[in-house]
Amino acid sequence: PGLCFKPAWLAEQRGAVAAAVAAAGADRVQLAADELLRRLACADLRDVCQGSLPPGLDRQHNILVEGAHLVQIVQAVDISQPRDTGALFGDEPGDNFAAGPGA
């Protein structure tokens, strides 16, 4: 299966990747791939691709998902705390998992 990138996201990256490649004289293909991977790691995956996990996975329990998948944590909940004081991570402005373009 693999990742199917959204054409609009790829088009948005074209200029930045081309600029990074133009600034260096090394292996241009490898440099372009590295830059695109760097930008992917900092992107919101909902903007990048449709995803590869089965629909409704969040409502299933005790299943095995085979293969390699790229996932992004949007919110984490500390379930060791009572619900009324449970700590949410991802809702506050300073709660960033990774800094990058748009973060």
Side-chain angles (χ1 to χ4, degrees):
L3 282 179
C4 294
F5 292 106
K6 292 181 179 178
W9 183 81
L10 282 174
E12 290 173 10
Q13 309 315 308
R14 186 167 290 134
V17 171
V21 170
D27 181 358
R28 298 169 67 87
V29 173
Q30 184 63 47
L31 186 62
D34 289 347
E35 178 63 19
L36 189 59
L37 182 59
R38 186 188 70 73
R39 298 183 69 75
L40 170 64
C42 296
D44 185 334
L45 294 182
R46 295 170 290 190
D47 296 336
V48 175
C49 61
Q50 294 299 322
S52 61
L53 293 172
L57 186 65
D58 60 330
R59 294 181 297 280
Q60 300 178 27
H61 300 281
N62 299 324
I63 64 164
L64 175 64
V65 178
E66 295 185 6
H69 299 275
L70 181 62
V71 298
Q72 172 177 300
I73 298 173
V74 175
Q75 183 182 70
V77 178
D78 182 353
I79 61 172
S80 70
Q81 301 296 319
R83 187 177 191 109
D84 60 332
T85 62
L88 290 178
F89 190 82
D91 287 338
E92 299 299 321
D95 290 346
N96 290 321
F97 285 100

